[in-house]
């Protein structure tokens, strides 16, 4: 038995997220089905570092799988890409140390969120941005973001109804930049609650639109109540950029 580490990129538009679900096709399911012919018809379990939600994308999702496949890593990569749809690609395959688990061994993850502010959205961007053409005070958004950096209880930014009880996480970096007709939010942390990044973006968008002051972010954290934060920004604008070990 060997453990393989995979680096994957995918357009999440057509999927119910990374994790297998009964209500639709997931990225994990498609990859496991592609693995089955290589493993003598046995479908292995492929563990992803991030359980990206429906419609969320990845440029560098990391996954691990234990298998008895004897092919060299480059041959596994080639065989998987032949079987996978065009919106999922295996960027790299390598042998990992025994027992390696993509999610359990991860020390930090980085995400990027794109908000398109131009009056007219390019049709080529429609699946990868949040089109929100409302004037925004980027400086105010940047000031609000500062309060979220560090180790905090992010219960206010967790999806309502989540069963997760430990809601303390560390954000190492949270940058807000304006690039052309877009506002780009980049966040790097040791882990994220369900919908956490999208709730942060939605709240920052409120700040940028003048709907809440930038100084209110500390009180939003302290409330530990999802109702204290802003909307959950749409999934399409979010991309997993990196997983570190």
């Amino acid at each position: 038995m060997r453990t393989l580490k995979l680096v994957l990129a995918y357009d999440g538009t057509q999927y119910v997220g990374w994790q297998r679900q009964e209500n639709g096709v997931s990225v994990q399911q498609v990859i496991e089905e592609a693995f089955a012919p290589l493993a003598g018809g046995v479908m292995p379990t492929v563990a992803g570092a991030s359980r990206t939600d429906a419609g969320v994308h990845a440029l560098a999702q990391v996954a691990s799988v234990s298998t008895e496949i004897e092919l060299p890593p480059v041959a596994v990569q080639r065989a998987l890409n032949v079987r996978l749809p065009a919106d999922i690609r295996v960027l790299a395959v390598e042998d990992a140390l025994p027992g390696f688990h993509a999610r359990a061994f991860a020390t930090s993850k980085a995400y990027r969120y794109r908000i398109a502010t131009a009056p007219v959205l390019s049709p080529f961007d429609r699946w990868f941005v949040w089109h929100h053409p409302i004037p925004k005070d980027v400086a105010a958004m940047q000031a609000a973001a500062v309060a979220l950096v560090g180790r905090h209880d992010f219960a206010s930014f967790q999806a309502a109804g989540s069963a997760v009880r430990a809601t303390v996480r560390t954000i190492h970096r949270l940058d807000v930049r304006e690039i052309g007709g877009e506002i780009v939010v980049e966040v790097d942390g040791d882990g994220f609650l369900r919908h956490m990044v999208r709730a942060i973006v939605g709240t920052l968008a409120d700040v940028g639109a003048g709907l809440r002051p930038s100084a209110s972010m500390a009180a939003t954290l302290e409330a530990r109540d999802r109702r204290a934060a802003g909307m959950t920004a749409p999934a399409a604008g979010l991309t997993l950029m990196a997983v570190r070990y």
Side-chain angles (χ1 to χ4, degrees), residues 70-174:
E70 296 181 355
L71 295 170
V74 67
V76 174
Q77 178 191 10
R78 189 163 48 242
L80 289 175
N81 281 333
V82 166
R83 292 168 171 81
L84 288 169
D87 54 5
I88 302 175
R89 292 290 90 181
V90 180
L91 304 181
V93 177
E94 63 182 60
D95 280 296
L97 293 174
F100 172 77
H101 190 281
R103 185 168 60 257
F105 282 47
T107 57
S108 69
K109 300 166 190 171
Y111 289 87
R112 175 181 292 164
Y113 196 98
R114 296 169 57 197
I115 306 172
T117 56
V120 179
L121 178 65
S122 166
F124 299 103
D125 286 333
R126 70 191 187 281
W127 303 124
F128 305 101
V129 302
W130 175 20
H131 187 217
H132 195 45
I134 298 173
K136 293 183 181 57
D137 184 340
V138 177
M141 295 173 71
Q142 291 169 336
V146 172
L148 299 180
V149 177
R151 191 160 183 81
H152 304 287
D153 187 333
F154 285 96
S156 292
F157 298 94
Q158 178 177 239
S162 176
V164 175
R165 294 180 180 238
T167 52
V168 174
R169 299 289 186 274
T170 301
I171 288 184
H172 304 302
R173 180 178 65 93
L174 179 55

Side-chain angles (χ1 to χ4, degrees), residues 2-6 35 46-47 62-67 69 71-73 76-77 80 93-97 100 102:
R2 67 198 284 210
T3 301
L4 295 176
K5 175 184 176 183
L6 287 69
F35 250 114
V46 179
V62 177
S64 56
V65 57
S66 295
T67 178
I69 297 172
L71 295 170
V76 174
Q77 178 191 10
L80 289 175
V93 177
E94 63 182 60
D95 280 296
L97 293 174
F100 172 77

